[in-house]
Amino acid sequence: MDKYFKLHCQDSMINLEDPQYEPAIKRLSHSYRQLLNRYGKGNDFLGWLDLPEHFDLNLMLNIKDEADRLASFSEAVVVIGIGGSYLGARAVIEILTPYFPEAKSDHIKRPQILFAGNNLSEDYLFSLLKLLDQKEYAVIVVSKSGTTTEPAIAFRIIREHCEKKYGKEGSASRIVAITDPKSGALRQMAVKNGYTTFSIPQDVGGRYSVLTPAGLLPIAIAGFDIKKIVFGAQQMRTNLFENQTVDKNIAMRYALLRYLLYQSGKKVELMTAYEPKFFCFIEWFKQLFGESEGKEGKGIFPAGAIFSTDLHSLGQYIQEGERLMFETVLSLNQNQHYLPIPKDEEDLDKLNYLIKRSIQNINHVAEQGTRMAHVAGGVPNLQIELARIGEEEVGALIYFFEFSCALSGYLLDVNPFDQPGVEAYKKNMFKLLGK
Ligand code: PA5
């Protein structure tokens, strides 16, 4: 969908016109119909498919009002959650926030968003509490099930801190719970204590929930326009629903290329970007695809890297290690700022040959050179070329990846909406803890 981004696949080493790919294209069309006509595996978890189209305007206003209310008295907002209950919000906030917000910028006036409940580090929580001692703060606890151990522990500890600092009543107006509409421990606690609540629809799984209040409330608190995010997703949805063939539908094309690369022995997809602000977005992508595809002994392993940083760590392996990966580059065309390389009369560092270039231009040339080297070294390359990155583009990207992920799961004939394997570590942990 050219308005937001383009998918380039000429370096994928696959020519989709080749008749040998016809059976795979047929399989893809079947997967697409399964998704759109809602008869594939896990079809009771397809609520995300229509979220942007049927977004309730009252809900949008409620989220914005609540975000402004919390922002009006908070220097920091702690978002407690793990997996799909925090990665989407974190990814979007990180992509949209300037690297070092200037004192006069709008973002500096918004509360700082802090994350908790996504690990079991005692030192992390201890140090967070020390920070909260000194800040006016609010808490958003996100858990669809309401029983996940990591966020539950963090919430118990932070709630105690909040109640000591602001009293039981005071803390109730500072805590927001986002959970299942009806059931679960968190819903019960929220009702009992009078917390403001929002719901994650029952038919939307955690990793597909970024366009629900789970993602949108923290994003709105950080000062971003959630209406534009939903609009971008809605535009992408229309495009993917209307264009039903692989030559016109970029999610179909991406899912098919990944599938064919996987069939040809490429078991790892390395998602890369040349802007560090994409780090968390790649984490979100890893969770979305990892939990959705990796089951029944199948699935592409989703990995991530930030270049050129990781060219100095993983670069050697990518170029010459096991030939098991392909690369998908999130390539950003337009920076917001221009910084030329200054001329130096002495030129001891021999950089004067670059003085006519901006750093962005050098970054692009690094990207081009890397792509050429990797492709020559047997690493097929897909490229998602973004003209710019703002709220609308992020919304479109989120929906594109969710849609592609569901198609990819169906191509592998797995249920892309469950995660039975996640239970294995929990079972052992609970047994060892004597639960
Ligand atoms: O995608 C998923 O369903 C998971 O990653 C969950 O989001 C994660 O395990 C957190 O679950 P919950 O929101 O129930 O605490």
Side-chain angles (χ1 to χ4, degrees):
M1 187 182 175
D2 288 8
K3 183 176 170 200
Y4 296 124
F5 55 85
K6 292 182 196 156
L7 172 68
H8 301 291
C9 39
Q10 61 271 30
D11 292 324
S12 68
M13 300 179 185
I14 288 174
N15 174 9
L16 290 178
E17 315 265 288
D18 192 323
Q20 66 167 310
Y21 298 127
E22 271 166 28
I25 293 178
K26 265 197 189 140
R27 193 180 169 92
L28 175 73
S29 301
H30 175 64
S31 302
Y32 182 77
R33 282 196 306 279
Q34 280 182 307
L35 185 59
L36 254 63
N37 299 332
R38 297 155 214 250
Y39 63 86
K41 290 183 179 170
N43 59 3
D44 44 347
F45 276 94
L46 289 177
W48 59 273
L49 205 52
D50 297 327
L51 271 177
E53 188 65 17
H54 301 145
F55 208 95
D56 177 357
L57 279 183
N58 283 328
L59 175 62
M60 179 83 74
L61 287 178
N62 286 346
I63 296 174
K64 279 189 181 168
D65 287 351
E66 186 58 17
D68 289 343
R69 187 185 74 82
L70 295 175
S72 70
F73 57 74
S74 308
E75 296 169 90
V77 174
V78 188
V79 177
I80 302 175
I82 195 165
S85 286
Y86 94 105
L87 275 169
R90 190 169 191 167
V92 174
I93 292 170
E94 194 177 288
I95 276 195
L96 296 177
T97 306
Y99 286 114
F100 304 101
E102 294 164 44
K104 55 183 181 338
S105 83
D106 286 348
H107 301 292
I108 215 88
K109 293 186 207 123
R110 303 296 291 191
Q112 188 184 3
I113 308 292
L114 304 166
F115 293 92
N118 55 61
N119 59 59
L120 285 169
S121 163
E122 191 158 5
D123 286 348
Y124 185 99
L125 269 179
F126 185 87
S127 151
L128 176 63
L129 294 185
K130 287 275 159 233
L131 182 72
L132 296 180
D133 281 342
Q134 298 150 32
K135 298 224 181 234
E136 290 301 319
Y137 72 94
V139 180
I140 302 177
V141 52
V142 191
S143 177
K144 174 127 192 264
S145 62
T147 51
T148 309
T149 310
E150 293 88 339
I153 290 178
F155 184 45
R156 189 183 272 212
I157 286 176
I158 293 168
R159 193 175 71 236
E160 188 198 44
H161 184 278
C162 194
E163 287 176 359
K164 272 195 191 139
K165 184 162 173 167
Y166 299 110
K168 196 130 179 101
E169 248 178 57
S171 64
S173 66
R174 288 172 179 263
I175 297 177
V176 177
I178 306 181
T179 186
D180 183 273
K182 291 190 195 117
S183 59
L186 185 56
R187 173 65 56 185
Q188 273 177 10
M189 277 164 73
V191 172
K192 186 165 172 272
N193 293 303
Y195 304 149
T196 303
T197 60
F198 288 91
S199 298
I200 303 172
Q202 268 166 336
D203 56 358
V204 179
R207 58 190 175 276
Y208 292 82
S209 70
V210 53
L211 300 174
T212 73
L216 296 178
L217 181 61
I219 294 168
I221 294 173
F224 299 107
D225 189 339
I226 54 172
K227 206 167 164 202
K228 283 193 187 159
I229 294 177
V230 174
F231 178 74
Q234 193 223 323
Q235 297 280 298
M236 181 54 69
R237 181 190 180 277
T238 305
N239 189 280
L240 299 181
F241 272 56
E242 280 176 1
N243 295 300
Q244 312 214 334
T245 50
V246 72
D247 53 324
K248 298 211 179 90
N249 184 309
I250 49 172
M252 284 174 90
R253 203 151 66 247
Y254 175 53
L256 180 66
L257 287 161
R258 298 177 80 251
Y259 175 73
L260 292 172
L261 288 164
Y262 177 65
Q263 299 294 321
S264 74
K266 302 297 180 189
K267 308 284 184 200
V268 175
E269 177 174 18
L270 184 69
M271 179 73 62
T272 65
Y274 286 72
E275 280 295 332
K277 59 166 76 167
F278 280 92
F279 179 83
C280 263
F281 190 82
I282 293 176
E283 292 299 296
W284 172 79
F285 153 83
K286 279 159 62 179
Q287 193 228 354
L288 179 65
F289 280 76
E291 277 193 351
S292 301
E293 278 190 306
K295 48 198 74 158
E296 299 174 30
K298 299 184 249 187
I300 297 174
F301 183 83
I306 294 293
F307 289 165
S308 63
T309 314
D310 291 329
L311 288 174
H312 297 260
S313 60
L314 297 172
Q316 172 61 36
Y317 189 102
I318 300 166
Q319 193 64 46
E320 295 182 352
E322 281 249 27
R323 302 297 71 200
L324 46 61
M325 65 177 83
F326 66 97
E327 194 174 325
T328 302
V329 187
L330 291 167
S331 170
L332 182 62
N333 268 347
Q334 200 182 33
N335 276 26
Q336 282 158 324
H337 305 287
Y338 172 71
L339 205 52
I341 305 284
K343 186 169 181 192
D344 183 305
E345 290 309 331
E346 291 189 19
D347 197 25
L348 290 175
D349 51 14
K350 301 277 177 279
L351 289 180
N352 275 355
Y353 77 105
L354 294 174
I355 57 171
K356 295 223 168 83
R357 294 179 185 265
S358 66
I359 296 183
Q360 179 189 347
N361 174 261
I362 298 170
N363 203 13
H364 280 156
V365 174
E367 182 179 329
Q368 209 183 337
T370 305
R371 182 164 52 247
M372 285 157 65
H374 288 178
V375 172
V379 181
N381 188 288
L382 303 175
Q383 189 196 2
I384 293 173
E385 184 194 352
L386 293 139
R388 63 181 290 279
I389 191 82
E391 281 100 333
E392 268 186 57
E393 289 78 10
V394 169
L397 263 186
I398 287 170
Y399 195 86
F400 162 76
F401 277 116
E402 288 179 347
F403 198 97
S404 308
C405 183
L407 279 181
S408 298
Y410 284 163
L411 275 169
L412 292 177
D413 194 26
V414 298
N415 177 352
F417 309 112
D418 67 359
Q419 55 284 330
V422 181
E423 293 311 309
Y425 98 90
K426 292 186 191 167
K427 260 191 214 153
N428 288 340
M429 180 177 77
F430 293 146
K431 202 167 164 197
L432 292 168
L433 288 170
K435 188 176 178 184

